[in-house]
Amino acid sequence: MNREEKARGRNHINLEEFHVSKEWGFVLPDPLMQLLSTGFLIGHKQLRLAHMALSFITMGYVWQEGEHNIAKVLPKSLAVPFCEISKIIGLPPILVHADCVLTNWKKKDPKKEMELGNLDIIFTLPGGDSIKGFFLVTLEVELAAVQGIKAISIATEAILNRDDNSIKTALQDMSESMRKMNNSLKKMDDHVDPDTFYGIMRLFLSGWMDNPAFPEGLLYEGVWDKPRHFSGGSAAQSSTLQSFDEFLGICHNKESAEFLHRMRDYMPPSHKAFIQTITTGPSVRDYILFSCNPVLCELYNGCIAALVVLRNYHITVVTRYIIITSAKAKVEKAKQNSSAQVLQKAPSALEERGTGGSGIMCLLKDVRDATKKLMIEKI
């Protein structure tokens, strides 16, 4: 049968059958106006992946035009599914640490180890290799904490059973874990450029709470009638250090404690519950003070010392990537130096503040100092 015979065999061509529009032709009509259904998502992992995808799209949409032309309304087609998923899994509708670090990774070679050279990110934001390095180095810090997290579980049971040997091992594991975390954090210098972090990346990681660029917040169209405020991604949203703090009995001052507790609402609810379980569980510090065991006392102080070292290095990182670079950005903006365009575009609303909205240096120093105070005098 030739072409003409085949054509005669059909009464007409139904354009819709071929997804061809009578008005738009091959162009997809109104691609952003469709509401995506969340009903086909199954299980915790799919919901977490969906939250991550929508959070990256949201940050890109809001900040794509820079600090001075911000999108103040999140379109219904994005806001509705994002908020639906957020409600189901108990996370706010914004990019959080659990999205960009804990969920945002894949192995290049599935058969090889979980090491930095074999890892890549799933979603990215402006910042090139630096944004990739920032997420993956932070992921490695989280992986280095696994030994310490398991130690908390072991030690809690050991305290109830008065098993000093198990407590000893757990404290050794915890301090070793903190040392590994510090070594991983030091890789930030090799993988993240300070100018790129300060001038580009911070903007896309920032939220709409405690941010002068968003005095009224962001309106989630089709969800809420009024704009809402949510904090951007922050290391304070990591469940790891807050778990260590609760286990070791570290008490922060009122302002720092309020911020850190608020950041727990940006953690997966199960992780937040884990921290609360530690809080209401037996106190390793009280157990050591009551037992007057000098070996346990020394090991506990070793954990405190390792955490202080880790927090001191975090201060060093923030000094290099925010404080020093902030001063450099001011100079470059004043000179209008065309060779420093990245820093000229740095968001002025975020000067010397963390992406979570905190006065970051004061917070870090307060948290570090509170940790130092927990050293136990020789028993």
Side-chain angles (χ1 to χ4, degrees):
M1 182 181 293
N2 60 34
R3 186 173 179 179
E4 291 182 0
E5 290 172 331
K6 288 181 180 179
R8 285 196 297 270
R10 301 186 59 163
N11 293 327
H12 68 283
I13 293 178
N14 183 351
L15 293 179
E16 292 182 359
E17 180 182 344
F18 299 95
H19 297 136
V20 179
S21 168
K22 291 180 180 179
E23 182 179 357
W24 297 88
F26 293 109
V27 176
L28 183 65
D30 300 321
L32 289 179
M33 298 308 290
Q34 302 299 309
L35 272 179
L36 300 178
S37 172
T38 60
F40 297 102
L41 297 172
I42 301 172
H44 178 72
K45 183 178 289 188
Q46 287 190 11
L47 288 166
R48 285 281 297 274
L49 286 170
H51 190 278
M52 175 179 66
L54 292 169
S55 67
F56 271 85
I57 296 170
T58 294
M59 304 313 273
Y61 181 86
V62 169
W63 296 112
Q64 61 184 313
E65 297 294 334
E67 180 187 26
H68 301 294
N69 192 18
I70 303 165
K72 298 294 181 73
V73 178
L74 196 64
K76 180 180 179 180
S77 53
L78 180 54
V80 170
F82 194 16
C83 290
E84 284 181 359
I85 290 170
S86 298
K87 184 177 181 180
I88 293 170
I89 62 176
L91 287 173
I94 192 172
L95 181 75
V96 296
H97 180 81
D99 294 314
C100 59
V101 175
L102 303 182
T103 309
N104 190 30
W105 65 270
K106 60 183 177 181
K107 284 186 178 181
K108 294 177 181 177
D109 185 340
K111 297 179 181 179
K112 292 185 178 180
E113 297 296 319
M114 282 280 293
E115 55 91 19
L116 208 56
N118 190 40
L119 293 175
D120 204 348
I121 54 177
I122 301 172
F123 288 94
T124 191
L125 288 167
D129 288 340
S130 286
I131 193 80
K132 173 182 173 181
F134 181 71
F135 290 152
L136 291 181
V137 169
T138 308
L139 173 66
E140 188 177 280
V141 174
E142 291 282 0
L143 291 171
V146 172
Q147 182 181 4
I149 294 168
K150 291 191 292 187
I152 292 175
S153 175
I154 294 169
T156 300
E157 183 177 356
I159 294 168
L160 295 174
N161 294 329
R162 298 187 177 277
D163 182 354
D164 286 6
N165 286 331
S166 293
I167 297 173
K168 174 183 173 182
T169 301
L171 291 173
Q172 289 171 331
D173 286 348
M174 180 171 286
S175 59
E176 176 62 20
S177 181
M178 292 175 189
R179 284 189 286 271
K180 290 178 179 177
M181 291 169 68
N182 197 43
N183 289 335
S184 294
L185 185 58
K186 288 179 179 178
K187 295 181 182 180
M188 198 70 76
D189 288 346
D190 297 326
H191 295 276
V192 184
D193 172 62
D195 289 3
T196 303
F197 176 81
Y198 188 84
I200 299 174
M201 292 162 51
R202 285 192 320 137
L203 182 65
F204 286 89
L205 297 173
S206 300
W208 20 100
M209 176 177 279
D210 300 322
N211 188 337
F214 270 99
E216 297 178 357
L218 178 70
L219 179 63
Y220 290 75
E221 188 180 54
V223 182
W224 294 300
D225 294 332
K226 296 181 179 179
R228 294 295 179 101
H229 292 89
F230 294 107
S231 295
S234 166
Q237 295 169 4
S238 169
S239 304
T240 298
L241 289 177
Q242 295 216 34
S243 294
F244 288 169
D245 280 356
E246 292 296 345
F247 176 74
L248 295 171
I250 298 170
C251 297
H252 301 293
N253 65 37
K254 184 176 183 294
E255 186 176 355
S256 296
E258 287 178 352
F259 175 76
L260 291 171
H261 277 79
R262 180 161 64 82
M263 288 299 99
R264 294 183 186 182
D265 292 334
Y266 292 76
M267 302 175 184
S270 56
H271 298 178
K272 178 181 178 180
F274 176 73
I275 298 172
Q276 185 58 34
T277 299
I278 298 170
T279 305
T280 57
S283 166
V284 67
R285 180 182 173 83
D286 289 349
Y287 179 86
I288 293 171
L289 290 171
F290 181 78
S291 66
C292 296
N293 186 320
V295 175
L296 293 182
C297 175
E298 184 177 354
L299 290 172
Y300 174 87
N301 284 344
C303 289
I304 295 295
L307 188 52
V308 169
V309 169
L310 177 60
R311 285 184 158 146
N312 273 330
Y313 192 74
H314 191 185
I315 291 172
T316 300
V317 171
V318 169
T319 299
R320 182 184 178 197
Y321 283 84
I322 295 183
I323 307 303
I324 293 176
T325 316
S326 171
K328 181 180 175 183
K330 291 176 183 177
V331 172
E332 298 299 345
K333 286 181 179 181
K335 294 192 306 184
Q336 291 294 307
N337 189 343
S338 60
S339 65
Q341 292 181 357
V342 170
L343 288 181
Q344 283 190 31
K345 295 177 181 178
S348 57
L350 297 175
E351 287 179 356
E352 299 184 13
R353 298 189 70 81
T355 48
S358 64
I360 191 166
M361 193 55 77
C362 289
L363 172 69
L364 292 180
K365 288 182 177 179
D366 286 345
V367 167
R368 187 268 318 272
D369 293 344
T371 306
K372 281 183 179 179
K373 293 177 182 178
L374 265 287
M375 284 282 187
I376 299 176
E377 296 294 328
K378 295 295 181 180
I379 293 177

